[in-house]
């Protein structure tokens, strides 16, 4: 079975969707709700601790069934199977795409199992204080040095799970801007800091420059033989990591079948492990693994990532929506959107299809957003009354972690009110002044999760990973390469030499 390669615009379903769009484009969701009492109940998926309500979209049952026809015509089922089977579906780099194998806890590859065990023992030593720095003191601070997928995923998860964190302070240095590193170093004591150099390739300019500067800073007081007490590495490139000075036993391997932007589940997540402990890290993997099963096994009509992806295609390719907003109603997920930006935009920001032809349809979602309620006081004006169609994902949690019910009620009242205001607007209501009117009919999905636990966070991240995979399959793209970042890197290198 070959990885499918179907031009979506040449399918029967696409033509039917175009026809259907002409019937749907002026329909107001308020009328859809009025005609159909059961809509809200039908257009939702309940799974584990998740309730995903997609009723507030400009869709009908017919829209959904045509979108599923599209998924079937582009052979989505085969594509999913091939990904999980470990076929080299990342053809332009000749690699398999198996981040799902990192969290397949009942069926781990031996090398993954061994690395998880190494992460467990290492993080336990650091947390307990048994790992000592060069003057015999316990570690108090951890600095993750990495960029892109070697930074955004672990940084986002560490912050998202800060409720579960221990005494260690975890810092992230990514930007080659020397001010970033100086600001971080000024908070640190060499004797009690552990540096994790995270680079899949171990050739990334920014990470190497930062790692070298930090090593020099360390050596101002420490001795070269102390490096092994303060520097560990995560990489596929053991040779480069050792020649940087990291001792072999301090290197945590990853593999070429783990894409950088999907690597937080691997040893790239070592800083997460140290911050919240191995048990919580394993729960994160467990949650993602359960979502993997759901994605692989559930019918498309009850499949959360598939439904979200199809609805997104509906807006991008038929309504010509250019962007999507993601608004988590929890401060813990403040870094979720920047993380998603790399995952989604580096994956599907492509204009050449799997037949190596330039495409003549829209691909790639521009994703943006910020946490609610802050976002309401920043850009929601444009969502409500602007001229652009911007579908929104609202993500909220039924229970707060600290149990402050008064605040949580305020937060959740806003969470529900915003999606209601977006779809209802002031439709068919008398409004004296146009500037006070809201057209409504603005689409959103509501993802309500019982509680922000490591497991639920794992499932949530996996939803978006699978969603972008589905969209890449439909758009006929190679979602797992990133050739688009090469030219700029080359030009920067040239400028350095000249
Ligand atoms: O610039 C793009 C990229 O290759 C990302 O895909 C990756 O996450 C990042 O750079 C960092 O790469 P590495 O982990 O090899 O340092």
């Amino acid at each position: 079975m070959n990885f499918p390669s179907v031009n979506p615009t040449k399918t029967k379903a696409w033509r039917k969707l175009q026809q259907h769009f002409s019937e749907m484009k002026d329909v107001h969701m308020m009328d859809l709700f009025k005609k159909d009492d059961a809509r809200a109940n039908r257009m939702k998926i309940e799974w584990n601790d998740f309730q995903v309500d997609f009723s507030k979209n400009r869709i009908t049952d017919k829209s959904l069934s045509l979108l599923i026809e599209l998924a079937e015509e582009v052979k989505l089922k085969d594509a999913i199977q091939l990904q999980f089977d470990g076929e080299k579906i990342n053809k332009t780099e000749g690699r398999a795409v198996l981040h799902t194998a990192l969290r397949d806890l009942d069926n781990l590859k031996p090398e993954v199992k061994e690395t998880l065990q190494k992460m467990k023992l290492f993080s336990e030593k650091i947390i307990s204080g048994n790992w000592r720095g060069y003057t015999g003191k316990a570690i108090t601070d951890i600095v993750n040095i990495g960029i892109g997928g070697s930074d955004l995923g672990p940084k986002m998860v560490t912050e998202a799970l800060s409720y579960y964190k221990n005494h260690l302070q975890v810092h992230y240095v990514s930007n080659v801007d020397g001010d970033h590193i100086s600001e971080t170093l000024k908070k640190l004591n060499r004797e009690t800091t552990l540096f994790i150099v995270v680079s899949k390739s171990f050739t990334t300019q920014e990470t190497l420059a930062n790692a070298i500067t930090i090593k020099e800073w360390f050596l101002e007081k420490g001795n070269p033989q102390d490096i092994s007490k303060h520097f560990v590495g995560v990489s596929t490139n053991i040779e480069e990591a050792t020649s940087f000075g990291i001792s072999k036993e301090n290197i945590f391997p990853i593999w070429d079948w783990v894409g950088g932007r999907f690597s937080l589940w691997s040893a790239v997540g070592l800083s997460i492990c140290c911050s919240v402990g191995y048990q919580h890290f394993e729960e994160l993997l467990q949650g993602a693994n359960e979502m993997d099963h759901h994605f692989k096994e559930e019918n498309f009509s009850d499949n959360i990532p598939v439904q979200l992806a199809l609805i997104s295609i509906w807006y991008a390719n038929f309504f010509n929506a250019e962007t999507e907003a993601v608004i988590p109603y929890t401060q813990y997920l403040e870094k979720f959107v920047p993380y998603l930006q790399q995952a989604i935009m580096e994956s599907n920001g492509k204009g050449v299809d799997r037949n190596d032809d330039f495409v003549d349809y829209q691909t790639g979602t521009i994703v943006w957003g910020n946490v609610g309620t802050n976002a309401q006081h920043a850009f929601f004006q444009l969502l409500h009354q602007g001229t652009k169609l911007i579908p929104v994902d609202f993500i909220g949690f039924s229970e707060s972690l600290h149990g402050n019910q008064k605040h949580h009620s305020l937060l959740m009242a806003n969470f529900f009110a915003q999606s209601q205001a977006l779809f209802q607007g002031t439709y068919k209501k008398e409004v004296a002044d146009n500037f006070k009117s809201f057209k409504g009919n603005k689409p959103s999905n509501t993802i309500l999760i019982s509680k922000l636990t490591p497991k639920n966070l794992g499932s949530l991240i996996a939803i978006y990973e699978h969603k972008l995979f589905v969209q890449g399959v439909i758009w006929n793209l190679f979602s797992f390469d990133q050739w688009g970042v090469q030219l700029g890197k080359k030009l920067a290198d040239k400028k350095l030499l000249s």
Side-chain angles (χ1 to χ4, degrees), residues 134 215-216 218-231 244-247 250:
Y134 71 100
K215 191 167 82 173
E216 285 166 359
F218 176 78
L219 289 173
E220 283 169 19
K221 300 262 165 70
N223 290 313
Q225 68 268 24
D226 297 326
I227 285 185
S228 63
K229 298 192 178 90
H230 293 270
F231 286 81
F244 170 83
I246 296 176
S247 56
N250 280 358

Side-chain angles (χ1 to χ4, degrees), residues 399-412:
E399 221 180 291
S400 78
L401 292 180
H402 286 280
N404 188 329
Q405 201 43 53
K406 189 175 135 217
H407 277 263
H408 201 60
S409 302
L410 288 169
L411 179 73
M412 295 314 276

